[in-house]
Amino acid sequence: VLPTLEGDNSYLSTLPRFWESKRLERVADSGQLERRMMNDERKDLDQWALACVDSRANFLGDGRYSMTPFLDMINHDAYIQTRARIEEDKGFAGSGDILQLQSGKNYAKGSEVFISYGNLSNLDTLVDYGFVSDK
């Protein structure tokens, strides 16, 4: 299910590109967020579609991208080593590719799993994912 722009609890409403101007004016960062949004602005693209792709597309390092709709359910931790790779023809029915993630950390059963979304600043994670890290 793709996110919608409807309702106050919409995931996309956490992204600054969908904030009301009143909320943007309260950001005290010497204009960094506004400049980033102006640089990223693409009036030729649908902003809802761009937000869906930005928050779910992953660069794999070999020149390819992967759309992984459930991957954003795993929280980001910049200090977790994460490797991603595509395994070809390993899908459920034997055809299709799968994305395999490998974490540099062992997790106990029932504990929350983290991955690194990459070497991102808080400005990057705010603009593309709607959160900032306290680390």
Side-chain angles (χ1 to χ4, degrees), residues 56-83:
R56 288 163 178 78
N58 300 282
F59 181 66
L60 299 176
D62 63 357
R64 295 189 293 173
Y65 285 85
S66 171
M67 286 293 291
T68 47
F70 294 103
L71 196 59
D72 62 333
M73 293 179 161
I74 304 173
N75 286 329
H76 167 72
D77 183 333
Y79 299 102
I80 299 291
Q81 253 189 339
T82 307
R83 281 183 239 129

Side-chain angles (χ1 to χ4, degrees), residues 49 97 127:
D97 301 340
V127 170

Side-chain angles (χ1 to χ4, degrees), residues 12-123:
L12 292 180
S13 67
T14 65
L15 301 176
R17 73 183 78 186
F18 300 110
W19 290 359
E20 294 180 8
S21 58
K22 198 181 215 182
R23 184 174 182 188
L24 282 169
E25 290 169 4
R26 292 195 317 243
V27 176
D29 68 347
S30 304
Q32 290 181 66
L33 178 59
E34 185 178 358
R35 284 191 299 278
R36 168 69 184 269
M37 289 175 49
M38 287 174 59
N39 287 340
D40 288 354
E41 188 175 34
R42 295 281 309 268
K43 293 183 190 287
D44 59 322
L45 298 176
D46 178 288
Q47 291 302 299
W48 169 84
L50 181 61
C52 288
V53 170
D54 281 350
S55 64
R56 288 163 178 78
N58 300 282
F59 181 66
L60 299 176
D62 63 357
R64 295 189 293 173
Y65 285 85
S66 171
M67 286 293 291
T68 47
F70 294 103
L71 196 59
D72 62 333
M73 293 179 161
I74 304 173
N75 286 329
H76 167 72
D77 183 333
Y79 299 102
I80 299 291
Q81 253 189 339
T82 307
R83 281 183 239 129
R85 71 177 186 181
I86 295 289
E87 289 194 24
E88 296 179 6
D89 296 322
K90 299 283 186 177
F92 292 111
S95 63
D97 301 340
I98 63 168
L99 173 65
Q100 182 185 63
L101 296 174
Q102 187 174 19
S103 173
K105 179 178 177 180
N106 293 321
Y107 291 94
K109 183 178 179 179
S111 63
E112 183 175 4
V113 174
F114 293 89
I115 60 172
S116 173
Y117 293 1
N119 186 18
L120 306 172
S121 68
N122 271 338
L123 183 59

